[in-house]
Amino acid sequence: MKEKLETKAVGFYFIVLAALLGVISLVRYAVWAPAHDAMDVLTMAALVIGIVIGIILMVKDNDYLVIVMTVCYSIATVKLLTDSVGSFVDAIQGINMFGDSSQVGTIISIAAVMGVSILLSIISGFLKRVKE
């Protein structure tokens, strides 16, 4: 095991961290969304596919899978934010009509963790993942 880890470069650890943050995002979203009638299959599927691709990348290095992982996390984040526009509008206007303005903080915190996953996967695409 130690010999395998010695062959890994910084990009590999960025992928591991992106997958870990993807799992955290998935758990937080899966706990929060059903309680607020905000569950979306596309968001869940994109997060799960991104995590699975991250696990595959831990075993086999492939540049195209890094791109697909980034796209999956991006889809999940954009879908979460676009589904929550009503809550943001309510928070800005100080009303409670289109969404739940009390959930804006939670939405932003979930999206921020997803955003860090996106950033880590983008950076890992430019770094070496296996030492030569």
Side-chain angles (χ1 to χ4, degrees), residues 45-89:
L47 282 172
V48 169
I49 292 169
I51 293 165
V52 168
I53 291 173
I55 292 169
I56 292 170
L57 283 168
M58 289 178 204
V59 179
K60 179 165 176 39
D61 186 32
N62 187 324
D63 291 335
Y64 297 113
L65 287 180
V66 175
I67 295 169
V68 174
M69 181 175 74
T70 304
V71 168
C72 287
Y73 289 143
S74 299
I75 289 171
T77 305
V78 169
K79 186 71 170 135
L80 171 66
L81 291 174
T82 56
D83 286 348
S84 305
V85 167
S87 297
F88 286 106
V89 169

Side-chain angles (χ1 to χ4, degrees), residues 13-28:
Y13 296 107
F14 276 36
I15 288 195
V16 171
L17 191 56
L20 178 66
L21 290 176
V23 170
I24 292 169
S25 299
L26 179 67
V27 169
R28 290 200 61 214

